[in-house]
Amino acid sequence: MANFSYTFWAETSNFVNINFLDRLLFSNSIFLGLTKFSDSTFEKSISFRNSYFKDLLDLQDIKLLGIMNFSNAEFLKDKGINITGFAFDADGAKVLGNTGKIAKFMYLNSLEGNETVLLNFIQNFRNLEQIYDANQLEYKTQKLRQKQLSAEIITTPYPDYWRVKFIQKIGQYLLLSILLLLSQYGTNFSLLLGIGLITIGYFGVLFWLLDRWRKRYPKPIIPKIYDIVCMVSSGVSLFSIGTIEIFNSAEYPLITLFCLSLLLIPIPLSIVTLIYQKGRYHDLMESSYFLLGWIDATVTIINCSFTCYSRISFFPRSLHSFSVGKTLELVELL
């Protein structure tokens, strides 16, 4: 066992291309310079518990057979751990770290050649039930894929612009960009919640307006002031809460809101404008475009029950008679 606990490393620490046969301890140590373990093999465990890294920890192309422990380790840079080419089996070896923190410091230079690395790390954190860290790496994977698609699009020669393959790449890039902006590829619940609240508030007010604001001339058919205040205040409240969630959770909140507005505003408002220009032919404020009256809905359910019972041959006869009798009583009451 090599024990370097409570040590201070002022300059570059070079452990490149070494085969560590036994345990390696760097607990409670301080690394001020670059720390390099690239191309090394760890046959047993290695511990960086409670250690501090001011510069990069380079783990490129290492092979891990045991446990690597980063519990309570601190990194000054966001790109604190280079895991490019990191080889390990998630079922045998393990990488430990503080939940919700360790994955934020991991980075790769590119997606090409590192798909297996990311899959192993994602599986590692899922096995440890560190779902947030697994989602962080999933998000970083899709960010790298977006970067890769962007590079392929930029380097495509002009004669290939009208080919199907190039158009498909454009479509994939746009779809992936929207997913990353609006949900971080489905990994950010707070962002999804914010998007959902804004969408619900927006379409709730829009559908209510379309349903209740019929016409102004010659005879006004518009909702009451109280209804207007209630609906608008509800919509504004949902929009405000959703916006706060987006600013707290999105990587680029302003761009996210702009992208969401492009999806929510042009097409729905164009449809509503066409509906109002065409004219409204429904003058009854008591009747809605979207809801059946309770009597109609009840009768519809009753008719469905008759149909269902009559088609089930093995249904108990006594229970069938009881259901029909009760249904007839309901019809008489209506």
Side-chain angles (χ1 to χ4, degrees):
M1 181 182 70
N3 191 348
F4 294 97
S5 299
Y6 297 95
T7 54
F8 181 87
W9 306 79
E11 298 180 357
T12 299
S13 307
N14 195 338
F15 298 92
V16 176
N17 199 16
I18 300 176
N19 187 9
F20 295 96
L21 300 177
D22 208 335
R23 295 173 60 197
L24 187 61
L25 302 180
F26 288 95
S27 302
N28 300 284
S29 298
I30 297 176
F31 298 86
L32 298 183
L34 176 64
T35 307
K36 300 178 67 175
F37 286 93
S38 53
D39 298 300
S40 295
T41 301
F42 301 93
E43 297 191 10
K44 296 294 180 67
S45 63
I46 175 172
S47 177
F48 293 102
R49 292 188 62 184
N50 300 305
S51 294
Y52 173 81
F53 296 87
K54 185 178 181 181
D55 208 334
L56 174 69
L57 172 61
D58 188 4
L59 301 178
Q60 182 172 350
D61 296 322
I62 74 165
K63 185 176 181 181
L64 178 65
L65 303 178
I67 297 176
M68 183 171 287
N69 192 346
F70 289 102
S71 298
N72 299 320
E74 296 184 14
F75 297 88
L76 187 62
K77 295 183 176 181
D78 290 338
K79 294 182 177 180
I81 311 174
N82 181 12
I83 58 172
T84 303
F86 193 118
F88 76 108
D89 184 0
D91 294 328
K94 288 182 175 61
V95 178
L96 309 179
N98 291 8
T99 302
K101 294 182 178 180
I102 184 63
K104 293 192 296 184
F105 299 109
M106 296 180 173
Y107 85 97
L108 301 99
N109 295 323
S110 65
L111 182 62
E112 186 177 1
N114 289 300
E115 292 90 347
T116 303
V117 174
L118 288 163
L119 287 175
N120 285 337
F121 269 102
I122 291 171
Q123 186 61 45
N124 171 78
F125 289 126
R126 292 197 184 280
N127 290 342
L128 297 172
E129 298 185 357
Q130 296 180 215
I131 305 303
Y132 182 87
D133 294 300
N135 288 343
Q136 276 284 315
L137 288 180
E138 181 66 38
Y139 174 61
K140 290 183 178 183
T141 301
Q142 300 307 323
K143 289 283 287 185
L144 290 172
R145 181 166 284 112
Q146 181 192 35
K147 183 179 178 181
Q148 186 179 53
L149 284 171
S150 176
E152 292 175 359
I153 291 171
I154 293 173
T155 56
T156 301
Y158 179 76
D160 295 338
Y161 279 8
W162 307 110
R163 294 188 176 182
V164 175
K165 187 175 181 180
F166 178 76
I167 297 174
Q168 287 178 343
K169 285 183 180 179
I170 294 289
Q172 290 174 6
Y173 177 79
L174 292 176
L175 180 60
L176 183 57
S177 298
I178 291 173
L179 288 174
L180 290 173
L181 277 174
L182 299 185
S183 68
Q184 293 187 1
Y185 206 74
T187 63
N188 192 326
F189 175 77
S190 297
L191 181 56
L192 285 169
L193 178 62
I195 297 292
L197 290 175
I198 291 177
T199 304
I200 291 171
Y202 172 75
F203 280 109
V205 173
L206 191 63
F207 287 151
W208 171 83
L209 178 69
L210 186 64
D211 182 48
R212 309 309 288 171
W213 194 297
R214 305 293 167 78
K215 62 182 182 179
R216 296 187 63 186
Y217 305 103
K219 181 181 178 181
I221 300 180
I222 58 178
K224 299 177 181 179
I225 298 296
Y226 175 77
D227 296 336
I228 295 175
V229 172
C230 289
M231 284 303 300
V232 171
S233 60
S234 299
V236 170
S237 299
L238 290 175
F239 179 83
S240 301
I241 297 173
T243 302
I244 292 172
E245 287 289 337
I246 289 175
F247 272 90
N248 288 335
S249 57
E251 188 174 2
Y252 307 105
L254 293 178
I255 300 177
T256 300
L257 287 173
F258 177 72
C259 179
L260 182 61
S261 65
L262 291 180
L263 295 176
L264 295 183
I265 294 177
I267 296 178
L269 285 187
S270 299
I271 295 173
V272 171
T273 302
L274 290 174
I275 291 174
Y276 276 106
Q277 286 179 347
K278 186 177 179 180
R280 314 303 300 280
Y281 306 102
H282 196 307
D283 290 342
L284 298 176
M285 284 297 289
E286 292 78 12
S287 301
S288 171
Y289 286 99
F290 304 106
L291 298 174
L292 284 172
W294 71 273
I295 295 180
D296 295 333
T298 307
V299 172
T300 302
I301 295 173
I302 291 171
N303 289 335
C304 291
S305 67
F306 273 123
T307 304
C308 293
Y309 286 138
S310 61
R311 292 183 181 179
I312 302 176
S313 58
F314 58 84
F315 203 84
R317 185 70 182 176
S318 58
L319 188 56
H320 178 273
S321 303
F322 172 79
S323 302
V324 171
K326 290 297 182 182
T327 304
L328 291 175
E329 290 180 10
L330 286 174
V331 173
E332 291 176 359
L333 288 175
L334 295 175

